[in-house]
Amino acid sequence: MLVQMRHGTGDQEIGRLLEEFQKDVTQLEHLRDRITEVRGRGEAAQGRVVAEASPTGALIGLTIDARAMRLGSDELAAAVLEAAAEAARNAEAGIGELVDPFIAGTGLDVDR
């Protein structure tokens, strides 16, 4: 962002604030891009069921090893849910690791 400076200290201060704001916006855009790349992974049934979740917790991948088919429908369903829940938790934790440095020391910081 190009900011033209005029005479006087007020204009310089506005220019400095605008530059700072642009820097913050750029950092937030980078954070947004990194968040969209976060993936969580979860396993169940001794690794025979593997789930992958998006940053929203939505299931985006599911692998069921052929040996897991021996579990029966109820156990297999429970394993899928377990793996999906773990994947969602891992995605949430990944987002937290990215976001925490940005909110530390602000009113959004719940660990104060």
Side-chain angles (χ1 to χ4, degrees), residues 77-97:
V80 168
L81 291 175
E82 180 183 336
E86 182 181 344
R89 284 190 302 273
N90 287 338
E92 182 179 358
I95 291 170
E97 290 174 13

Side-chain angles (χ1 to χ4, degrees), residues 30-92:
H30 181 66
L31 175 63
R32 179 200 61 213
D33 294 343
R34 290 183 64 200
I35 286 173
T36 62
E37 296 170 359
V38 168
R39 298 291 180 262
R41 187 175 191 280
E43 294 183 8
Q46 295 143 356
R48 293 180 181 140
V49 176
V50 179
E52 188 177 5
S54 74
T56 64
L59 189 62
I60 57 173
L62 180 63
T63 304
I64 301 174
D65 185 285
R67 296 172 292 163
M69 302 305 277
R70 298 183 195 128
L71 293 173
S73 62
D74 289 343
E75 284 184 68
L76 181 57
V80 168
L81 291 175
E82 180 183 336
E86 182 181 344
R89 284 190 302 273
N90 287 338
E92 182 179 358

